[in-house]
Amino acid sequence: AQTVTQSQPEMSVQEAETVTLSCTYDTSESDYYLFWYKQPPSRQMILVIRQEAYKQQNATENRFSVNFQKAAKSFSLKISDSQLGDAAMYFCAYRISSGTYKYIFGTGTRLKVLA
Amino acid sequence: DAGVTQSPTHLIKTRGQQVTLRCSPKSGHDTVSWYQQALGQGPQFIFQYYEEEERQRGNFPDRFSGHQFPNYSSELNVNALLLGDSALYLCASSLFRAGSHGYTFGSGTRLTVV
């Protein structure tokens, strides 16, 4: 079964510091996509970053970057220079490249940013 | 550019009743997916609609049904509501041919069943 595990229910970071959120997944597929979504109190899920499994280079979007370890099935999110607006629930998600349309989400990590 | 619009934002229903949730996708998107997010959990896939047809269904009973209209908007219907159906229902839109690029989500409908 394809599963996504986020083992950190909650994390805290000081403003302007760096924090890393962990995600592992289980799959027998070789071609898939991985995502990090942010869900602030407004409830709207916002795409933070996307990684294609066939690409070895880690994706980067401004202050957000990932550490994608395909063999270890690990996909962590690093947030640099944390800002108060980064406080939210963060969900890791997975989708195989073909044969299905659904995304599989983890249970989320609540990130608190301390001023 | 309007994003994904969901209505209503909140809803309270009694066990056994039926409910209809509505979603308008982002302009230019042709595919709508519905997810159920229970409290403290990640979203769970209910089904996806494209070209007015259900393309894939998650592990949800037949009490959950949907529809997509020619303008790409969609409805989620839940019959014979149970207390366990209380959740945030998220609508996500995308382009069918670019479904792996990520969704655009709405802000959800909070359904409470009493």
Side-chain angles (χ1 to χ4, degrees):
Chain A
Q2 296 154 351
T3 58
V4 175
T5 301
Q6 294 180 249
S7 58
Q8 306 155 315
E10 189 173 294
M11 293 282 285
S12 295
V13 63
Q14 206 70 36
E15 199 176 2
E17 296 295 308
T18 296
V19 64
T20 298
L21 308 184
S22 301
C23 172
T24 58
Y25 56 95
D26 186 22
T27 183
S28 57
E29 302 290 333
S30 60
D31 197 11
Y32 49 87
Y33 302 89
L34 295 163
F35 308 84
W36 278 98
Y37 278 89
K38 169 185 177 182
Q39 187 177 41
S42 66
R43 308 184 319 203
Q44 184 180 18
M45 303 271 281
I46 301 165
L47 179 63
V48 174
I49 201 163
R50 169 182 175 268
Q51 175 78 42
E52 295 162 321
Y54 67 87
K55 288 187 176 179
Q56 293 185 342
Q57 185 174 6
N58 290 323
T60 299
E61 289 288 341
N62 301 314
R63 299 183 294 107
F64 299 87
S65 61
V66 298
N67 183 6
F68 173 48
Q69 302 289 329
K70 191 172 184 179
K73 298 179 183 176
S74 171
F75 183 60
S76 60
L77 174 69
K78 185 171 82 171
I79 306 174
S80 304
D81 185 25
S82 296
Q83 301 175 358
L84 295 176
D86 295 333
M89 284 292 292
Y90 285 81
F91 291 93
C92 178
Y94 157 97
R95 202 205 98 156
I96 65 172
S97 64
S98 64
T100 182
Y101 306 113
K102 71 177 182 181
Y103 287 52
I104 298 172
F105 287 82
T107 53
T109 296
R110 180 173 301 281
L111 178 65
K112 294 183 176 181
V113 181
L114 309 173
Chain B
D1 181 20
V4 177
T5 304
Q6 290 188 244
S7 63
T9 55
H10 296 85
L11 203 53
I12 300 175
K13 288 287 190 178
T14 303
R15 276 180 298 175
Q17 284 188 317
Q18 178 266 342
V19 68
T20 297
L21 310 182
R22 295 176 175 81
C23 172
S24 293
K26 179 180 177 179
S27 177
H29 284 180
D30 56 11
T31 303
V32 173
S33 302
W34 287 92
Y35 284 79
Q36 181 195 65
Q37 186 178 12
L39 197 62
Q41 300 296 315
Q44 298 286 319
F45 178 77
I46 303 175
F47 41 53
Q48 184 184 84
Y49 277 84
Y50 170 65
E51 291 187 329
E52 302 179 48
E53 290 185 7
E54 183 183 290
R55 293 289 168 162
Q56 187 177 7
R57 186 179 187 89
N59 189 25
F60 280 82
D62 292 344
R63 298 187 297 108
F64 289 76
S65 63
H67 189 77
Q68 186 180 34
F69 299 93
N71 66 353
Y72 308 119
S73 67
S74 177
E75 288 182 349
L76 164 64
N77 301 292
V78 187
N79 294 323
L81 285 167
L82 303 174
L83 294 180
D85 295 332
S86 295
L88 179 67
Y89 288 85
L90 294 167
C91 172
S93 74
S94 57
L95 262 176
F96 187 76
R97 58 180 170 81
S100 63
H101 287 207
Y103 294 127
T104 299
F105 280 89
S107 296
T109 294
R110 172 74 67 191
L111 173 64
T112 302
V113 182
V114 297

